[in-house]
Amino acid sequence: MKKILLGLVALLTACSAPSKKQGDFDWTANETPLTHQLLKPDTLFGSVASLIAMDTTLIVSCIDTDPICTRFAIRGDSLLAREHFLQKGHGPAEALWYAELQYFPVDTSFQLFGYVNGDNYRFRFPLHDTALLQEPARWERHTIIGNTQTSISQLLFVDHQNFIAQQFDETDEMFWYGTPDTLYPLGIPYPDDGQNAGGIAKAVTYGGILAKHPTEPKFLYASRNSGKYVFTFTVDTATHTVTKRNLLLDEYPVYEVRPDGLNTATKPDSPRPVRCAVSKDYIYMLYVGGTFEHPEAGGTHSDLVRIYDWEGNPTGSFRLDMPIYMLHADPQGCYLYSQATDKESGEPLLLRYKLPD
């Protein structure tokens, strides 16, 4: 079982309010229209949970397909299926649910985090050897945290050994830095949102989406289920501490704590969450306005993407030609990938947007 290091965190990283520059920014005056290209897969395509785009290769993880993952070759607007991998199940090379894929350009590999027989594992796939995808016995598989009671709600790899994690526990620590044998608190507390909620209830409410800069130890957090709480943070991998935080949005979730003191319920006046994607230069935010009780037109779909740099400064926005509900970006920032709903069939569509130079 891993050792949890509870000591003095070298740097307390209080997060100030969004910058005045952001409040004064004219999003409409800095808006660019984008037109989609419809991508046409040659096999059944579900709702995309995670996506990796590299040159002429697209790897997707879907919520409602089995196997969960597919590698496609991109040929114009066509997606040609090459391998299907990671079946649902409980075996040593299976997944309980969809996988969050993470790409490492430095060695053209990708990794995913998954549960196997009660343990937490890191799977690694060198993409130069695609036979690994269809031969699970050859996957690189390493125990992340061993056979432990720790329940991880979100995990993102820093490199091939270390990771950033959110977990369900009673501490006020929002994130932990994991090495092969130790968990270090990063010193980012849950926000003081005025709720009388314990650590686990806060962890449930603020379980979020994590994204990593393609090559640097910079990370983005966005609340997942409700609220618009979004910030970036930079980690010193040598000291396992946070050196900088930049707040983008601070609209906290509005919720109530259930009688068990652990679970929470979103209230109708809670802000709807945003969806984010990152590239080496920018953060792309699919902005969904309104509350759950009074949503803006489109509900969970939106045609507005706001753009920030990694310092949290707004730089512009895109107005899409179709409302979407999912957003991903390739590491170099050449394309945005998204999903929309076909108005006639109700089926998911996969779209690609060429980004301006």
Side-chain angles (χ1 to χ4, degrees):
M1 186 170 175
K2 282 185 178 290
K3 172 185 176 185
I4 298 179
L5 186 64
L6 292 169
L8 178 65
V9 177
L11 179 65
L12 295 177
T13 52
C15 206
S16 59
S19 66
K20 184 175 184 296
K21 178 181 176 182
Q22 184 175 156
D24 294 339
F25 191 77
D26 188 338
W27 294 102
T28 303
N30 291 275
E31 187 174 282
T32 301
L34 293 183
T35 301
H36 76 273
Q37 177 187 36
L38 176 64
L39 297 179
K40 304 169 185 176
D42 64 353
T43 187
L44 179 66
F45 210 94
S47 296
V48 174
S50 184
L51 179 151
I52 295 174
M54 308 152 293
D55 299 323
T56 59
T57 298
L58 195 70
I59 300 177
V60 297
S61 168
C62 291
I63 296 172
D64 44 12
T65 60
D66 191 11
I68 297 169
C69 298
T70 303
R71 183 178 77 89
F72 291 96
I74 305 174
R75 299 290 184 268
D77 63 355
S78 297
L79 297 180
L80 309 179
R82 294 300 186 233
E83 288 93 22
H84 302 280
F85 61 102
L86 199 61
Q87 290 184 308
K88 293 180 180 178
H90 296 79
E94 297 172 326
L96 295 179
W97 51 74
Y98 65 86
E100 294 283 352
L101 307 176
Q102 191 177 346
Y103 176 56
F104 285 83
V106 67
D107 63 355
T108 60
S109 69
F110 76 93
Q111 300 187 71
L112 60 88
F113 162 68
Y115 300 95
V116 176
N117 298 328
D119 285 345
N120 303 310
Y121 280 91
R122 169 174 59 85
F123 296 98
R124 179 172 177 268
F125 309 82
L127 289 176
H128 60 79
D129 186 358
T130 55
L132 284 173
L133 298 178
Q134 293 186 307
E135 298 181 30
R138 297 177 58 198
W139 294 355
E140 294 183 27
R141 186 178 69 175
H142 305 277
T143 305
I144 291 176
I145 211 165
N147 190 9
T148 173
Q149 291 83 29
T150 301
S151 179
I152 294 174
S153 63
Q154 176 74 304
L155 185 145
L156 202 62
F157 296 103
V158 179
D159 50 38
H160 296 323
Q161 280 193 314
N162 307 312
F163 58 89
I164 302 289
Q166 280 189 285
Q167 58 187 20
F168 297 111
D169 59 30
E170 288 289 356
T171 70
D172 194 38
E173 291 291 338
M174 200 166 179
F175 302 104
W176 299 76
Y177 187 97
T179 68
D181 59 2
T182 306
L183 284 175
Y184 297 86
L186 282 177
I188 300 178
Y190 290 102
D192 184 5
D193 57 13
Q195 298 284 348
N196 185 23
I200 293 180
K202 282 284 187 76
V204 169
T205 301
Y206 288 93
I209 299 168
L210 283 172
K212 181 185 177 296
H213 186 281
T215 57
E216 300 177 28
K218 298 178 180 179
F219 301 86
L220 173 79
Y221 163 83
S223 53
R224 181 192 297 269
N225 296 317
S226 70
K228 292 179 174 64
Y229 186 41
V230 184
F231 59 85
T232 64
F233 59 100
T234 303
V235 175
D236 183 327
T237 58
T239 61
H240 317 123
T241 55
V242 174
T243 59
K244 179 183 286 188
R245 286 177 67 193
N246 302 295
L247 186 61
L248 280 66
L249 296 175
D250 61 354
E251 298 178 40
Y252 300 144
V254 181
Y255 61 98
E256 63 181 3
V257 181
R258 294 296 196 188
D260 61 11
L262 304 177
N263 294 296
T264 63
T266 299
K267 290 186 175 181
D269 56 341
S270 186
R272 284 186 173 272
V274 297
R275 295 290 178 260
C276 296
V278 303
S279 68
K280 63 183 181 66
D281 296 317
Y282 297 110
I283 295 161
Y284 306 97
M285 181 187 296
L286 179 62
Y287 194 87
V288 179
T291 65
F292 284 85
E293 185 176 23
H294 300 290
E296 290 187 355
T300 58
H301 293 56
S302 175
D303 61 359
L304 176 61
V305 175
R306 291 182 172 178
I307 313 162
Y308 298 80
D309 64 21
W310 278 93
E311 298 301 311
N313 300 309
T315 65
S317 62
F318 297 135
R319 182 66 66 175
L320 309 181
D321 63 343
M322 182 180 292
I324 63 172
Y325 61 87
M326 178 275 286
L327 190 67
H328 293 278
D330 72 280
Q332 298 304 314
C334 297
Y335 294 96
L336 289 180
Y337 292 83
S338 65
Q339 275 199 295
T341 303
D342 187 285
K343 291 182 179 180
E344 295 182 359
S345 68
E347 294 297 317
L349 303 174
L350 185 65
L351 312 178
R352 181 169 67 175
Y353 290 90
K354 178 73 172 69
L355 297 179
D357 296 331

